[in-house]
Amino acid sequence: MDGVANLASQQAWRVARALSGRILAQSESGGNANSVWSPACVANLLAVAREGSAGATRWELDALLGDGDLLVEPDPFDVERKPAWGYDGYEASSATAAWLSKLATPSDAFLRKCDECGVRVSVDDLGDPRVSREISSWISEKTRGLLSPAISLSSVALACLVSALYLKDAWADPFEEYLTNRALFHAEDGGVRVAFMHDERCCRVIDGDDCVAFGMPLSSDAEMLFALPNSGGDHMGEALELFERLSCGEGERELVELGIPRFECETTIPDLGMQLEAAGVYSASAMNLVPMVGVESTPTQVIHGAKLSIDEKGVEAGAYTIMIACAGCPPENPPEPRKITLNRSFYVAVVSRTGAPLFMGRVTLP
């Protein structure tokens, strides 16, 4: 990473700061399960939604995202493959698309903006199950089959805005599988033996008040970040601060004896609108989307899903964000050596070459 955040990175960090604590603290088991989400994927969708909004909704999205327009950049998070990279297996994409009902009356300005920014717009009968299957297939294609949510739009849907993000990258220096062994991970509800990857690496390290954070470079010059609290409790705020500092190039290089567990996280958030409301987008459940659909205060549902896994070779992660605007009610059934050993609950993040927070997670049981 070059430590210089572009506009898209800055807006993704604004979204990360506003929502990470709320999202990662929630889970079906009361906060004791692994969780992951993509600030960059959500920011990308909200940037398009802002172009299709008006009135209070526009003001609220402006306040959340800040000044500037990340949509003017063709590869806003700098994830597209560069010819000089040596890792042949690298894959990444960031995309946004909109499906509009035949009953919607989008403005010429909104359609022109979508065309300029490469946002595909389709006009169709959103109540037709074929369209729901098409949207699900689009997400599956953009995430290389990693995520295939079941989409079910109602007959009163006016718009379905979707963003997707995918990354598959190798460690700059892969771990040797013969060094992986099983050891004790101190989960919040008791100890469990899991597979730990081991090696000595020169890493950038930052010490916080109650966390230590470090970065592991990926082949694309992106980086995966880890934050290990020294004690129990919620340390998301400090982890986020340390991640942002690392993404800007801070941290002292040290030789570190690492122990990192293989893990996988997958999360579906059917009510991201509630988190947006708590972050200041008060109209998230009934947005003013006149430029997009021609109707004020349409009932709106925002859904997010993400998946992240690591092993000795590297990292694979994908995410999608869906915003559905309806003329009636939203669908009722949304889709579902210093020594650092990550042997208790820890936080993770994947940041792009420009420092954009692509994925963030909390691992309580690998």
Side-chain angles (χ1 to χ4, degrees):
M1 297 190 310
D2 57 18
V4 180
N6 63 5
L7 174 62
S9 298
Q10 294 168 9
Q11 293 193 342
W13 275 112
R14 290 178 67 93
V15 172
R17 288 192 295 269
L19 298 176
S20 287
R22 297 177 174 89
I23 290 175
L24 297 182
Q26 289 191 346
S27 71
E28 293 181 359
S29 58
N32 294 325
N34 297 341
S35 54
V36 63
W37 78 293
S38 172
C41 184
V42 172
N44 212 17
L45 179 132
L46 293 180
V48 179
R50 175 166 65 173
E51 296 298 326
S53 67
T57 300
R58 178 69 187 233
W59 303 332
E60 291 160 3
L61 289 174
D62 282 344
L64 176 62
L65 294 173
D67 296 332
D69 180 8
L70 68 83
L71 298 177
V72 300
E73 302 177 51
D75 179 20
F77 304 117
D78 199 20
V79 297
E80 292 185 3
R81 183 178 175 84
K82 304 298 186 292
W85 295 350
Y87 173 45
D88 292 336
Y90 179 86
E91 292 184 78
S93 65
S94 175
T96 309
W99 282 262
L100 302 181
S101 167
K102 294 177 180 178
L103 301 177
T105 55
S107 69
D108 290 340
F110 174 73
L111 294 176
R112 185 166 54 251
K113 183 68 174 182
C114 288
D115 183 61
E116 292 172 355
C117 302
V119 178
R120 191 192 82 174
V121 176
S122 301
V123 178
D124 212 326
D125 177 8
L126 301 194
D128 188 332
R130 169 186 53 81
V131 178
S132 294
R133 292 193 298 269
E134 180 182 326
I135 296 171
S136 182
S137 295
W138 185 88
I139 294 172
S140 180
E141 175 190 348
K142 297 303 180 183
T143 62
R144 310 305 194 271
L146 195 66
L147 295 163
S148 300
I151 309 298
S152 180
L153 298 179
S154 72
S155 59
V156 295
L158 291 175
C160 183
L161 185 62
V162 188
S163 65
L165 178 66
Y166 177 79
L167 173 71
K168 183 179 182 181
D169 201 354
W171 304 116
D173 183 9
F175 288 85
E176 298 289 350
E177 291 190 23
Y178 75 87
L179 294 176
T180 298
N181 58 38
R182 300 187 73 80
L184 188 65
F185 184 92
H186 302 282
E188 295 182 7
D189 56 355
V192 60
R193 296 185 68 81
V194 303
F196 279 83
M197 306 179 296
H198 294 280
D199 207 348
E200 286 189 357
R201 300 288 173 86
C202 186
C203 303
R204 286 189 303 116
V205 183
I206 291 181
D207 286 297
D209 293 335
D210 201 31
C211 282
V212 59
F214 64 95
M216 288 285 294
L218 297 168
S219 76
S220 63
D221 207 22
E223 200 166 19
M224 186 157 190
L225 313 179
F226 300 84
L228 181 67
N230 299 322
S231 59
D234 180 10
H235 298 275
M236 185 65 240
E238 184 177 5
L240 194 66
E241 177 189 350
L242 296 178
F243 287 159
E244 192 166 6
R245 289 173 60 189
L246 284 168
S247 77
C248 292
E250 293 188 38
E252 297 295 328
R253 291 201 170 274
E254 298 184 34
L255 183 64
V256 179
E257 182 183 336
L258 289 172
I260 300 176
R262 294 194 302 237
F263 67 85
E264 179 177 294
C265 303
E266 184 170 4
T267 301
T268 301
I269 307 168
D271 58 350
L272 186 63
M274 294 178 59
Q275 313 302 330
L276 289 169
E277 288 178 346
V281 185
Y282 304 112
S283 61
S285 61
M287 291 188 178
N288 181 341
L289 300 174
V290 169
M292 186 187 301
V293 298
V295 179
E296 292 187 24
S297 300
T298 59
T300 313
Q301 184 177 25
V302 185
I303 304 158
H304 183 69
K307 188 173 184 178
L308 167 69
S309 62
I310 69 167
D311 59 18
E312 288 84 355
K313 296 178 181 179
V315 57
E316 183 177 27
Y320 65 87
T321 310
I322 304 170
M323 189 185 78
I324 303 168
C326 297
C329 296
E332 295 181 358
N333 298 310
E336 297 279 316
R338 170 201 287 265
K339 184 175 182 179
I340 301 177
T341 300
L342 304 177
N343 62 354
R344 55 187 182 274
S345 297
F346 60 92
Y347 301 93
V348 298
V350 181
V351 297
S352 73
R353 291 163 49 84
T354 55
L358 301 179
F359 297 90
M360 289 195 174
R362 177 173 180 254
V363 179
T364 63
L365 182 61

